[in-house]
Amino acid sequence: MHEYYVSFAERQRGVAMMIRKYAVASRRTLRLSRLLQIGLIFAFWLAGELLVRVFGLPIPGGIAGMLIVLALLSSRRLGLGCMRRGANWFLAEMLLFFIPAVLAVLDHRELLGLLGLKILVVILAGTCIVMTVTALCVDLFYRWGAGSGGGGHAAR
């Protein structure tokens, strides 16, 4: 009868090993499945939407979902491999997400005239300004880090 007796600690170790084995298998499956990764990204978007609606936050649900992903990535609870294939698919098929916007422009013919040209100039100018300011900030902080010996590439 003694050989059939399993202590509580041994049962806990067995359960912990089963959980570990399941976690490793599910991570491996998630890393290999693009469809599951797309589902995970969608789940983060839904979680962000839920947070925004429940707490009445003044930000879009997609942004809240991205903040959740950022928190999980920076705490290392979520690895990049768990989302890489799904994110790459979204980036590769991004044109599909802009088709409704293009159709909306075609519905409003006035955007194809002088008004549309003005809007295009504002968008291009804004993009150039943002890119220039970003490049100047990166350059400034790079020089500041390299000059203080704080680990910039030039200091190495």
Side-chain angles (χ1 to χ4, degrees):
M1 180 164 177
H2 182 60
E3 60 195 37
Y4 294 110
Y5 177 73
V6 178
S7 72
F8 181 72
E10 288 174 351
R11 271 188 268 146
Q12 275 186 324
R13 276 193 297 268
V15 169
M17 287 183 64
M18 280 183 16
I19 290 173
R20 217 173 288 128
K21 189 184 295 185
Y22 176 73
V24 168
S26 63
R27 281 190 197 129
R28 184 175 300 130
T29 303
L30 184 60
R31 287 179 193 263
L32 296 176
S33 173
R34 179 180 297 146
L35 189 60
L36 285 177
Q37 291 180 7
I38 291 169
L40 181 65
I41 292 170
F42 186 68
F44 282 125
W45 173 73
L46 284 176
E49 283 290 332
L50 181 69
L51 281 175
V52 166
R53 289 177 193 236
V54 167
F55 294 111
L57 300 174
I59 60 173
I63 301 295
M66 283 195 302
L67 291 174
I68 294 170
V69 171
L70 177 65
L72 289 172
L73 286 172
S74 33
S75 68
R76 297 182 190 245
R77 299 226 179 245
L78 182 69
L80 286 176
C82 292
M83 298 180 69
R84 181 171 282 135
R85 285 182 167 193
N88 284 339
W89 179 83
F90 273 121
L91 289 173
E93 304 301 329
M94 192 175 283
L95 182 61
L96 292 175
F97 302 113
F98 287 111
I99 288 176
V102 171
L103 293 177
V105 168
L106 292 178
D107 283 343
H108 298 281
R109 297 276 182 201
E110 68 272 8
L111 294 177
L112 297 176
L114 185 60
L115 178 64
L117 187 62
K118 289 178 183 178
I119 292 173
L120 181 65
V121 167
V122 169
I123 290 172
L124 291 176
T127 302
C128 289
I129 290 170
V130 167
M131 290 174 66
T132 303
V133 169
T134 302
L136 290 173
C137 287
V138 167
D139 186 54
L140 175 72
F141 284 111
Y142 176 76
R143 290 177 190 219
W144 179 59
S148 66
H153 292 293
R156 291 182 188 180

